[in-house]
Amino acid sequence: MAPLRVLELYSGIGGMHQALKASCTWAEVVAAVDVNTLANEVYKHNFPGTALWAKTIEGITLQEFDRLSFDMILMSPPCQPFTRTGLQGDVSDPRAKSFLHFLHVLPRLQKLPTYLLLENVKGFESSSARAKLLETLEACGFEHQEFLLSPTCLGIPNSRLRYFLLARRHQDPFPFRVPGQILTRFPDQDLEDLVKDKAADQVGEASSMSSEEKSLDSDTGPERSSKSSLPKGAFLFKLETVEEMARKEGQDTDSSVQMLEDFLEDEDEEKSQYLLPPKSLLRYAFLLDIVKPSCRRSTCFTKGYGHYVEGTGSVLQTAVDVQLESVFKGIEELPEEEKLMKLSTLKLRYFTPREIANLHGFPLEFGFPDQVTAKQRYRLLGNSLNVHLVAKLISILLG
């Protein structure tokens, strides 16, 4: 029996490839396709034996697709046309052109693949692109099931709500398939519970807008919010609602989710380069989502993390014995120098790229070429996916 032949489209830094390995599937990635030069350098660094096509999807001809003779497609099309914090250009966005080309090519292949897995942002499920995808899959004889899942459902302390679609041909029907429903849990619990939990999840999602909705990947979100027109030297702040505080407390006491400390590197002198600069502390202190190593939560890390402050991901309080309340109480009335002194006692730092990679499920052997800067690593990881989540979905797809 030959290994499964897999085509990886929009391969990025190789999250799908890593998930394929983590799923223990006997498979060969016959080609990985991406136009991002920097992402391709990282991909080659980690998967030197894989054929990497540095070209656009619309630049691949039907004949080239046919020659690959693949059994499975793994893909993460550009998310910007569908982000709820972006312009939502959908199929009219130029960045959706390659995906539409793929949908045009799929029914024309000499040999249709048996399996397909697609990942995108929440928001894709209500797009015209998704409608075209489902129409194409149906015409090609695929059955499908859609999901909205976050790594927290696997006990990983990071909110990263994403849309997933599983599709396959010539197989027994998915035993868990719920036509017209988007599942919000893995199908390893009672089907009744899956459907019942849907309404509860929607309520939960709405209540956590600040931690998930605002931090979805977007070209404009973080930059716009951090550069909003404010009086020079203005001190931004927000007061958390009682509901928001209760939600965070509930997350931190949920023993089904691991503590952040399991994903952190050792604190050493080198970590001082990740401390928040005084300017950011003074201007954005009340907008930060501050977590301790003992917390069981963190907000979605976007590609602007480490460069923009607001809505790009949580920051870590490394002075664990200092109480947040004692630092922030009455702080807005203090002179700037005293404010800074109090805020500095928290020793707030950004999560390192390696720590974010850990939360995303990339193994320790996964690395970056030395010339890739920290800012570039944050950007690439912000555009990536959760390896453990996708690995489980691949196993379900092939099951």
Side-chain angles (χ1 to χ4, degrees):
M1 185 178 155
L4 205 63
R5 295 176 62 82
V6 179
L7 172 62
E8 189 180 5
L9 299 177
Y10 312 99
S11 50
I13 59 175
M16 288 285 191
H17 193 146
Q18 200 69 64
L20 189 66
K21 287 178 72 173
S23 72
C24 300
T25 301
W26 191 35
E28 173 197 1
V29 178
V30 294
V33 185
D34 205 295
V35 76
N36 185 311
T37 306
L38 191 62
N40 285 344
E41 283 181 28
V42 179
Y43 192 104
K44 276 187 284 191
H45 181 77
N46 290 283
F47 309 106
T50 300
L52 183 58
W53 294 11
K55 60 199 298 184
T56 61
I57 309 294
E58 60 267 39
I60 304 173
T61 65
L62 178 60
Q63 291 72 30
E64 286 176 306
F65 274 120
D66 278 331
R67 279 198 291 272
L68 291 172
S69 186
F70 45 87
D71 308 300
M72 174 189 270
I73 299 170
L74 301 175
M75 63 193 306
S76 293
C79 65
Q80 294 92 340
F82 317 110
T83 51
R84 292 165 295 168
T85 50
L87 298 174
Q88 295 180 308
D90 204 340
V91 292
S92 64
D93 190 310
R95 290 166 292 194
K97 187 180 174 185
S98 59
F99 181 62
L100 297 176
H101 174 73
F102 164 76
L103 294 183
H104 175 75
V105 165
L106 185 61
R108 292 165 174 77
L109 293 172
Q110 283 181 1
K111 187 196 90 173
L112 283 168
T114 307
Y115 307 100
L116 183 145
L117 186 153
L118 177 142
E119 180 262 2
N120 214 282
V121 292
K122 175 163 173 56
F124 183 85
E125 75 281 2
S126 55
S127 67
S128 297
R130 177 252 193 172
K132 286 180 182 290
L133 169 63
L134 298 189
E135 185 184 318
T136 304
L137 291 176
E138 190 176 341
C140 293
F142 284 89
E143 71 154 20
H144 74 275
Q145 181 59 57
E146 298 167 286
F147 297 83
L148 280 171
L149 299 169
S150 183
T152 50
C153 68
L154 289 179
I156 299 166
N158 181 237
S159 297
R160 194 174 182 83
L161 190 63
R162 290 296 183 267
Y163 168 91
F164 297 95
L165 176 137
L166 303 183
R168 67 185 184 190
R169 297 170 64 250
H170 309 315
Q171 297 283 313
D172 294 330
F174 288 124
F176 52 82
R177 186 163 181 248
V178 187
Q181 293 272 13
I182 298 179
L183 300 185
T184 54
R185 293 282 187 275
F186 281 110
D188 49 9
Q189 60 184 123
D190 287 344
L191 193 56
E192 230 176 87
D193 290 340
L194 284 169
V195 180
K196 188 175 66 182
D197 283 349
K198 182 173 169 56
D201 280 351
Q202 286 172 336
V203 172
E205 186 200 338
S207 70
S208 61
M209 290 277 267
S210 62
S211 64
E212 293 215 17
E213 186 89 307
K214 291 180 183 175
S215 57
L216 284 171
D217 298 351
S218 165
D219 275 344
T220 56
E223 184 169 358
R224 186 179 65 246
S225 57
S226 291
K227 292 187 174 179
S228 51
S229 52
L230 296 159
K232 194 174 178 184
F235 184 69
L236 292 179
F237 67 95
K238 67 171 182 184
L239 296 175
E240 284 188 336
T241 63
V242 174
E243 291 80 10
E244 181 74 0
M245 290 175 70
R247 182 183 65 78
K248 288 183 177 182
E249 191 179 326
Q251 287 175 308
D252 286 335
T253 54
D254 182 357
S255 59
S256 69
V257 178
Q258 290 175 265
M259 288 185 183
L260 284 168
E261 63 188 11
D262 296 338
F263 300 84
L264 301 178
E265 296 183 283
D266 292 335
E267 288 297 329
D268 52 29
E269 285 181 19
E270 193 185 313
K271 298 295 179 301
S272 62
Q273 66 180 299
Y274 297 103
L275 289 169
L276 268 70
K279 188 178 175 183
S280 296
L281 280 177
L282 284 171
R283 194 167 174 82
Y284 299 108
F286 276 88
L287 289 174
L288 299 170
D289 182 67
I290 300 170
V291 293
K292 292 182 178 182
S294 58
C295 287
R296 301 177 190 269
R297 60 182 171 84
S298 59
T299 56
C300 179
F301 296 102
T302 76
K303 62 187 181 183
Y305 190 70
H307 184 55
Y308 300 115
V309 178
E310 184 190 350
T312 58
S314 301
V315 296
L316 188 69
Q317 178 186 334
T318 56
V320 293
D321 294 330
V322 180
Q323 295 303 310
L324 268 181
E325 294 78 7
S326 65
V327 170
F328 281 97
K329 189 176 179 183
I331 196 170
E332 58 266 37
E333 271 116 54
L334 296 175
E336 198 170 272
E337 197 176 321
E338 285 183 50
K339 272 182 202 169
L340 187 57
M341 200 179 299
K342 287 195 87 174
L343 291 168
S344 297
T345 62
L346 295 169
K347 294 186 180 175
L348 298 179
R349 72 164 173 84
Y350 291 109
F351 283 74
T352 69
R354 179 64 255 174
E355 290 166 342
I356 295 175
N358 292 345
L359 284 163
H360 283 0
F362 285 93
L364 288 175
E365 62 267 22
F366 182 93
F368 292 88
D370 291 339
Q371 68 271 23
V372 181
T373 66
K375 182 180 172 181
Q376 290 170 329
R377 294 178 193 203
Y378 283 134
R379 189 172 181 83
L380 292 167
L381 287 164
N383 281 332
S384 192
L385 46 76
N386 190 280
V387 170
H388 293 314
L389 244 175
V390 176
K392 181 153 184 173
L393 285 169
I394 290 172
S395 298
I396 290 167
L397 178 60
L398 299 175

